[in-house]
Amino acid sequence: MGDRWHVEVDRSVCIGSAQCLHHAPDGFRLDSARQSHPVEPDTDASEQILAAAEGCPVEAITLTLVGGEEPAFPPED
């Protein structure tokens, strides 16, 4: 993909389903409260990270291009 993404998890929305770990096991971790967080907040864009964001049942994961405000996921309407 070539881009770098800033990965953010809204922990007030996260329900700890671990779907992000299913899609991107190297990209996310659950803490002791079962809240997800990215292993590296700024990371290379990848299909796995995108699948994790798309697969989150409560849409707690947002991806933005590093160095900008342009959203990669969820897309702007």
Side-chain angles (χ1 to χ4, degrees):
M1 291 183 163
D3 292 325
R4 288 190 51 81
W5 287 336
H6 177 74
V7 181
E8 191 169 331
V9 177
D10 184 340
R11 293 186 189 159
S12 69
V13 175
C14 178
I15 60 171
S17 72
Q19 287 301 304
C20 54
L21 294 174
H22 172 75
H23 293 289
D26 295 331
F28 295 89
R29 297 286 180 259
L30 295 182
D31 62 20
S32 61
R34 292 199 46 84
Q35 297 291 293
S36 178
H37 59 92
V39 172
E40 293 291 332
D42 293 339
T43 188
D44 291 334
S46 73
E47 292 295 326
Q48 293 83 11
I49 297 292
L50 180 58
E54 291 174 334
C56 179
V58 293
E59 299 179 351
I61 301 170
T62 57
L63 309 173
T64 53
L65 293 174
V66 170
E69 298 296 318
E70 185 178 340
F73 185 86
E76 289 184 323
D77 295 332

